[in-house]
Amino acid sequence: MHFIDVILPIPIQKTFTYTVTEDEANFLQKGMRVAVSFGKSKMYSALVFNIHQTKPTLYEAKEIHQILDETPLVNEQQLQHWQWISNYYMCSLGDVYRASLPSAFLLESETIINKNEAFTEEAILTDDAYLIFEALQHQSQLTIHQVAAILGKKKVMPIVNQLLKESVITIKEEIYEQYKPKLVKYVRLHPAYTSDESLNKLLEELARAKKQREAVLGFFQLSTSKKPIKAKDLETKANVSSTILKSLVAKNIFEFYHIQIDRIQFKGATNDLKILNEYQTKTLSEIKESFNEKEVTLLHGITSSGKTEVYTKLIQEVLDEEKQVLFLLPEIALTTQIITRLQFYFGEQISVFHSKYSMNERVEVWNNVLENKTKAKIILGARSSIFLPFSNLGLIVVDEEHETSYKQFEPSPRYNARDAAIVLAKIHKAKVLLGSATPSLESYFNAQQNKYGFVELNRRHGNVQMPKIELIDLKEKQRKKEMNGHFSDRLLKLIQEALDAKEQVILFQNRRGFSPVVACKTCGTSPQCPNCDVSLTYHKFKHELRCHYCNYQRAMPSSCGACGSNTLDNKGFGTEQIELELKELFPNFKIGRMDLDTTRGKHGYQKIIAAFEAREIDVLVGTQMLSKGLDFDNVSLVGVLNADSMLNFPDFRAHERAYDMMVQVSGRAGRAKKQGNVAIQTYNPYHQILQQVATTNYTEMYKEQLQERWQYKYPPYYRLIKITLKHKDYNKVDTGVQWLAKALQNSFGEYVLGPTAPAVSRIRNQYIKNIVIKIPPKQHLSITKKQLQKIKNTFEAVKDFRPIRFITDVDAY
């Protein structure tokens, strides 16, 4: 008898055993998928984990339905990495399997298939496939169960797979279209017409062609603003049609160009890597030296010091050794800018992988990496790209390694991509470079302890000085009545100066919407969300109240629901309100906004970033998305509207995060030629963190925070595991958490914190309770986890507690 152990894409603790024939056992390899039935009638794509001849003792092994792959889809190194993730983050292998593979690979009997409207060539279909195609003409969707019923056979997975490959059907998911950069058409004069004489001659020539002459005159009127001129704008300004512009281009008077091409012309037309300046060269050789001894090196480079250029040199060297490179970024918004930069050097060798890509694109990238194709030599992606099937990784670059976006919170596996990447590199014997202007305390601590190599780059590129940072005291300004809305007179003056100099401004406010709280002046009641314990945020654009946790929305009421008087008042302010205030204050300038509400679609980021780069937006208001490593060469002023909201936060990392965010945001100023300005409005200008931001003093902040962490027993000295219980019945959660706290205290004593209710203690009608376990430096991590797993098993064996959701989050920060 031959058996295989498989990983099922469901959260069960163990692998499951099925029986196979001898031929199948000889054909199968680790990492292939097989279709198996599990439970009463469900079919899953399971992954072969082991092939052996030991019969399971506790149950009768079923047969598999069929084999889905001809070659392994997942390789040995990945399985090794998955096991580490599953052990370290205390989740099942099934969770990791589900998170890793693009969902097209995870067909199951409940999968819903739809027809692809674009498909027309019916002639190529086999009989079975045609039957399904036929059925989809009459029904809008089918499940795989129904397909089996139509064909009257059990083995339908291969047929469905085939149909997916040939794009006859789509699987029900959000399918995003492929990204194509949007090219905007701009107009400029032909280089032949630079002198005044040639221009006069030109206007004489066009004396007869009245419309063409108008177009040229319109062009001169627009060109006084020194901004690039869009073809569209010229058409409306001069009131001419596009054909007239085309005929002027044909006469070699105008030229069309697109902003995409335009960017490359800034850099000179060669695509060789940039020549590094002396500081960058020194840094590069220091990194290489440190790689001789250490696997991981931390690069602490101040904002705009040209870290990306150093990365490109390293990447090139790894590519010359015929190895793969993984470039991790925290935020999808960032990938758009870095893609254009890296493609400029490496062209076709780059593949991009993140959640906004359609399923088919993700499958394609997966296969390219698996087969080690040239177009997948460099993978650029967000955190999920650590799961791709690399076979010979040479280097992992983790850019902006301090970012919280590297940590996954929901669903399980709740991994941290930076830490998981370091383990992945170990399996491949590759090197890791962590880069950041504000490294996380843990990484900096590891570098100080000599666990990581450490390299500094502390000159900005082109020797531009660090921005001048000034703190504006809001208490003082309000007392002297020098405020205009949410702007101090000083900030408005700075904005005006920047705009007059034709420079751009970024304003930062970490709250979206118009105002976070709406309250009644008469009785003080404010509208609450019915499903969560939070007050609703007012969004002016749609005139509605909205919950930022569960997306509940309703129209803004005209009178108070409690006492009926119509004295509703707004408190606090978000990006939307700032945008509207700016439009009144600076009516002649373009104001843009970048937050979750404006970047909903796949190209949301793209459009806003492209418009800002093309200088169509003068002032950009935004939330933390703005602080992520973006590079705009014309920004001379960055304003932080209220620094206090970031500092007064119930979290042991609040101060570190506030420092990171403000330094990163201010790093967006003055990147190209001259020194930029940063203005930070605050009620508490003497706060230590703000003083450290003003002097950009990282080491000072690090020492002070480290002192506090040691005193109060937090990471990097102590490790944390956070346990969250959720259920819609408050009493149930409460009894459950009390029982659990006692059980944990018996094992871990004083290191158990809680149980506590979080600040928002009910979300989507689920009540939440937390317990945190601290693990002292000397205590063994894996033994602690085993103990915790035992307690969890006992907890889940109690009938009353079974329906409660039990979430374990290791390193929950």
Side-chain angles (χ1 to χ4, degrees), residues 540-552:
K540 187 157 189 170
F541 171 63
K542 290 190 169 163
H543 197 65
E544 66 182 10
L545 294 172
R546 189 182 250 159
C547 169
H548 284 181
Y549 286 88
C550 68
N551 272 332
Y552 165 85

Side-chain angles (χ1 to χ4, degrees), residues 25 36 38 46 113 139 320 603 643 680 709:
V36 298
F38 183 79
I113 59 177
Q139 253 170 305
D320 294 342
H603 304 318
I680 298 178
R709 300 278 178 94

Side-chain angles (χ1 to χ4, degrees), residues 6-16 38 91-95:
V6 298
I7 305 174
L8 288 157
I10 46 180
I12 50 173
Q13 285 305 322
K14 301 189 167 73
T15 52
F16 219 72
F38 183 79
C91 58
S92 65
L93 272 171
D95 279 333

Side-chain angles (χ1 to χ4, degrees), residues 7 14 23-24 32-33 104 133 200 216 272 305 427 534 537:
I7 305 174
K14 301 189 167 73
D23 294 346
E24 286 174 329
M32 285 185 177
R33 289 171 312 149
F133 180 74
N200 289 333
V216 174
D272 290 341
S305 55
I427 294 173
V534 281
T537 303

Side-chain angles (χ1 to χ4, degrees), residues 122 125 128-139:
E122 294 159 41
L125 299 179
D128 283 346
Y130 189 73
L131 277 174
I132 299 174
F133 180 74
E134 226 354 275
L136 279 170
Q137 304 305 320
H138 305 295
Q139 253 170 305

Side-chain angles (χ1 to χ4, degrees), residues 282-294:
K282 184 166 163 270
T283 304
L284 183 64
S285 60
E286 282 176 8
I287 292 174
K288 282 199 265 188
E289 264 168 52
S290 119
F291 273 158
N292 290 335
E293 298 162 22
K294 302 267 197 299

